[in-house]
Amino acid sequence: MPELPDVEYYRIYLTATALHKTIARVEVRAPRILEGVTERRLRSVLAGRAFQSARRHGKYVFAAIEGGEGGWLVMHFGMTGRLSYFKDIGDDPKHDRFLIGFENGYFLAFVNQRKFGHVALAMSPEAFAEAKGLGPDALSIGREEFAVRLGERRGGAKATLMNQKVLAGIGNIYADEILFRAGVHPKTPVNTLDEETLGTLHAVMGDVLHTAIAAKRRCEDFPGSYLLPHRHEGGVCPLDGTPLETITISGRRTYFCPTHQSDERE
DNA sequence: GGGTAGACCCGTGCCC
DNA sequence: ATGCAACGGGTCTACC
C-alpha cells in the first residue's frame, strides 16, 4: 500500500520501533532490491551503528545512521510492502527481503512481496531527492508552488499528480481520491485549470493525505464519503450512487464518477 | 528537442 | 496450467 500515507505510517512505525538500537546483523535475502549498494557495503555501514531519526520524502523512507560515516538508509516499497518489527526470528514475515537484527534481539524486516521496492544509501534525503529528480513532497508543498508547478504542465490531471518529478508521494489510489473530491475529471489538462480549482485541488490533496494517514493509524477506517472503499468492480459513487467509470491512465486503472467529475474537454 | 502518453517489462500470488 | 491484475516506476517509441 505504499503511497505517501502508507509510507508516512512506516516512517512513524520505524521511529516508534527501531531508533537508538545498536544493529548487530544485516541480511539481504533478495539482492535485486539493492540499488547502487552491495550487501557487504550495507553491513559495513550499519553494523554496530543505530538509527537516529527517520524522515520521508514522497514514497521514500530515510533512516539516519548515527556514528561511523553517517549517511542515510533509503527504502522504497514499490507496489507492495511494509516494515515489520518483531522479536522471535520464527515470526519472520513472508517476503522479508532485507533484515536488520538489533543487539536487543529484535528484528526490523523490509517486507516486499513483488520485489519492486529498493534499498539504498544516501548522503541525505535532500541529496537523494535531488539526484532522483523528485519534486517537492506532496504534504509540504505550498499552494503557490503547487499552482506554479502544475500550471507549467500540459498533461492530464491524474498523470500530473502521479508524476513524482512534479510532486512526490501521490500514487494511483490517492490521485483518484483527490480528483474525485475536487470534482476534476482525471484527463483534464492541468494547464486549463483556473486558479480557484488549483487552490481547491491543493487543499483537497492536504485533507485527503492527512485523513489517510490518520486512517492508517486507526487501521483502515476511511470516511464513508471517500471513493476508496467503493473503488472496485461494480462500485458506485458514495455521493449519489452513480456507477463509477474506469479508464486507464499511465497504465493504471482509474476510477471516477462521471457526474461529479465531468469531462470539460467534451 | 522536450513534454506527453501508451506499450511493455520487472516478481509474486490469486482466480479460473 | 494459464491468464490476469495489483497502491511503482523505468525504458522505449510515436507524436506533437
Side-chain angles (χ1 to χ4, degrees):
Chain A
M1 309 150 217
E3 290 184 43
L4 188 152
D6 311 276
V7 180
E8 174 63 8
Y9 179 69
Y10 302 156
R11 184 193 67 78
I12 293 167
Y13 183 83
L14 192 155
T15 300
T17 59
L19 298 190
H20 313 302
K21 291 166 182 165
T22 304
I23 296 166
R25 52 181 276 222
V26 171
E27 194 178 322
V28 175
R29 299 183 168 181
R32 77 174 345 268
I33 65 159
L34 297 184
E35 191 175 75
V37 68
T38 60
E39 177 171 22
R40 180 198 177 108
R41 171 91 181 125
L42 275 175
R43 279 217 177 92
S44 84
V45 168
L46 293 173
R49 321 281 186 219
F51 296 125
Q52 188 170 28
S53 60
R55 284 173 54 189
R56 181 193 56 71
H57 185 107
K59 302 174 187 174
Y60 291 88
V61 176
F62 303 85
I65 303 159
E66 162 179 85
E69 308 161 48
W72 296 68
L73 179 71
V74 185
M75 290 179 281
H76 185 278
F77 297 86
M79 294 271 271
T80 56
R82 63 193 170 88
L83 294 175
S84 178
Y85 184 75
F86 58 96
K87 183 181 174 71
D88 187 345
I89 193 64
D91 293 335
D92 187 21
K94 199 171 182 188
H95 312 305
D96 174 5
R97 311 306 189 190
F98 173 58
L99 187 66
I100 293 172
F102 299 98
E103 279 186 352
N104 68 0
Y106 281 76
F107 298 90
L108 181 70
F110 174 80
V111 184
N112 199 235
Q113 183 197 112
R114 294 177 67 185
K115 299 181 185 170
F116 289 166
H118 294 292
V119 168
L121 289 173
M123 293 306 292
S124 71
E126 291 78 11
F128 184 85
E130 166 82 26
K132 279 275 175 185
L134 297 179
D137 183 74
L139 262 190
S140 311
I141 191 171
R143 186 184 177 290
E144 294 304 318
E145 192 182 2
F146 178 84
V148 169
R149 291 184 76 88
L150 265 69
E152 57 194 20
R153 291 277 164 173
R154 306 195 311 262
K158 178 166 179 181
T160 305
L161 281 178
M162 286 198 302
N163 184 340
Q164 304 300 299
K165 291 177 162 51
V166 174
L167 77 168
I170 308 296
N172 195 32
I173 298 295
Y174 293 105
D176 279 2
E177 190 68 56
I178 291 162
L179 293 171
F180 169 69
R181 306 195 77 71
V184 175
H185 188 283
K187 286 200 171 177
T188 312
V190 278
N191 58 11
T192 65
L193 297 174
D194 58 30
E195 204 62 26
E196 186 188 346
T197 308
L198 285 172
T200 300
L201 215 43
H202 177 260
V204 167
M205 176 176 74
D207 284 349
V208 165
L209 295 176
H210 285 296
T211 299
I213 292 165
K216 297 293 166 189
R217 301 187 74 170
R218 292 194 307 268
C219 286
E220 309 289 326
D221 185 12
F222 285 90
S225 68
Y226 266 53
L227 180 68
L228 205 158
H230 307 274
R231 210 179 163 285
H232 54 77
E233 208 67 44
V236 301
C237 172
L239 301 180
D240 68 0
T242 303
L244 298 176
E245 284 188 15
T246 59
I247 52 177
T248 297
I249 292 178
S250 300
R252 301 289 179 265
R253 176 149 260 208
T254 299
Y255 288 79
F256 69 99
C257 170
T259 58
H260 291 101
Q261 296 165 269
S262 62
D263 193 344
E264 304 292 340
R265 299 166 306 149
E266 72 218 277

